[in-house]
Structure formats: structure tokens, C-alpha cells
Amino acid sequence: METSSRIYPNVHIGKDVQIGDFVILGHPPRGAEPGELPTVIGDHCIIRSHTVIYAGSRLGNNVQTGHGVTIREHSTTGDDVSIGSGTAIEHYVTIGNNVRFHGQNVIGEYTVIEDDCWIGPHVSITNVLHPRCPKAKKCIKGATLKRGAKVGANATLIPGITIGEMALVGAGSVVVEDVPPRTVVVGNPARVIKRIEDLECPFGLVEHPYEPD
């Protein structure tokens, strides 16, 4: 544990946790006193330099953060989660087990990401349809990614939509409505073009490239 890091009161750190330089754990959110909200870091986590984890958040076991990650208050992760460098996870986000964020992601408040999902680089998940509306805070709602969903690089998901189980969102797509399970969507706005069973590996290495092990 590096002396250059700051650990606030009421931070509970599990076994064999690695903490890099200039990490802040348990940063109090607005309106909370230092140590008022518990912060939990599970066993065998790796928290790399310049990560900031706000008070009230809980990380499972074997969670890794890249450099410069921010995790806001009241967010939770399961086990075996990888959060790539530069990713911002806002408050009240729920993340399951074995989820991968490639990096430079923005994950809006109240997003729900189930087990085995994969989020490509520069993906944005939004949560407010009309940001300047005086009632905007009353209708904040993030997207829901069901088990095994995958979202390609630079895609944008609008608030409140659901990406179905094992669905694949193509790179650069803008998703404005729910995506059915096991489908592939591309474009702006994104449209279904096929099912994942129809995908083929261009290198002939596997028969079904998007099926889980």
C-alpha cells in the first residue's frame, strides 16, 4: 500500500489488495462526512494509480481498475470485474460478475450491467433524455445490459433501454430502443441485422465466436 494514496475512514480493504500511487478510497460525496458511508474493497483487488472510489461503493473480489478510473458513490461490482483506464462509473450503478470495461467509458447513473458483459472502448451509457429540463433529475434512468451482452467501441446507449441477453451492439452504433436477446444491431439509429448464431469467425478459428465458454 503506497503512502501517496489517501484512504478515508470506514474503508474496508480485503486480503492481498494492491493499491497504486495517488489512489483515493472512500472520498465522501456531497453532503456526507468523511467516514459516514462505508466503502468496501474485496479480496485480491488491484487498484491502479489515480483511481478515485467514492464512499458508499462496494467492489467484489478480484476487481481491477486501470489508471484514472472514477467510481462514484453507492455503486457496486461483483467479482472478477476489469475496469479499463479512464473509465467513469457514476453513482448507483450495479455491475455483475465477470464484466469487462475496455476503457474510456462513461457509465451513467442507475445503469445495470449483468454478468459476463463486455463494454468496448469509448462507450457512453446515458441516463437523461432532456438534460436541461427542470425536471430532469426526476426521470434519470440508465440502460440495462442483460447477461452476456456486448457493446462495441464508440457506441452510445440512450436512457432506459435494455440490451437483451447475449446481444451484440456494433461499433459506433446509437441505440435508441430495446435490443432483443441474441441479436446483432448496427447503425444510427441501431437496427437488427442478424442473430448471433449467424456470425462467423473470419479466421475460421471457432464456429460460434460470440458464444460464452
Side-chain angles (χ1 to χ4, degrees):
M1 188 178 300
E2 301 289 345
T3 57
S4 56
S5 296
R6 179 170 185 179
I7 301 176
Y8 280 87
N10 206 7
V11 174
H12 307 275
I13 299 174
K15 299 180 297 183
D16 301 318
V17 173
Q18 301 179 39
I19 299 176
D21 292 328
F22 307 110
V23 166
I24 300 176
L25 299 180
H27 190 290
R30 183 171 58 184
E33 296 295 326
E36 179 180 340
L37 301 172
T39 305
V40 177
I41 310 297
D43 297 340
H44 313 295
C45 290
I46 301 175
I47 311 299
R48 292 186 172 86
S49 67
H50 300 88
T51 292
V52 180
I53 300 176
Y54 277 65
S57 291
R58 293 175 176 269
L59 273 59
N61 299 324
N62 300 304
V63 175
Q64 296 191 40
T65 72
H67 305 285
V69 167
T70 302
I71 301 175
R72 292 294 302 269
E73 63 271 20
H74 304 297
S75 289
T76 62
T77 81
D79 299 333
D80 303 304
V81 173
S82 177
I83 305 172
S85 295
T87 292
I89 295 175
E90 298 298 335
H91 51 273
Y92 293 100
V93 172
T94 302
I95 300 166
N97 300 312
N98 193 35
V99 174
R100 168 77 186 277
F101 299 88
H102 200 280
Q104 303 296 327
N105 306 118
V106 178
I107 310 301
E109 297 96 323
Y110 302 102
T111 295
V112 176
I113 300 174
E114 295 187 356
D115 296 349
D116 303 317
C117 289
W118 185 92
I119 314 297
H122 300 281
V123 167
S124 294
I125 301 179
T126 62
N127 60 5
V128 177
L129 284 172
H130 307 114
R132 300 297 293 179
C133 173
K135 301 292 186 181
K137 290 188 179 297
K138 294 185 179 296
C139 61
I140 292 176
K141 187 176 183 180
T144 296
L145 279 65
K146 306 299 284 186
R147 183 189 65 84
K150 301 171 182 66
V151 183
N154 295 299
T156 300
L157 311 185
I158 71 161
I161 63 168
T162 296
I163 309 298
E165 285 196 7
M166 295 300 298
L168 173 63
V169 176
S173 298
V174 178
V175 184
V176 300
E177 58 186 18
D178 291 351
V179 175
R182 304 184 70 84
T183 60
V184 180
V185 299
V186 298
N188 180 8
R191 293 289 184 265
V192 175
I193 62 166
K194 62 178 70 175
R195 294 186 59 81
I196 63 166
E197 290 84 354
D198 301 323
L199 294 170
E200 297 180 355
C201 175
F203 307 109
L205 299 176
V206 292
E207 184 175 359
H208 297 294
Y210 289 96
E211 290 289 353
D213 294 334

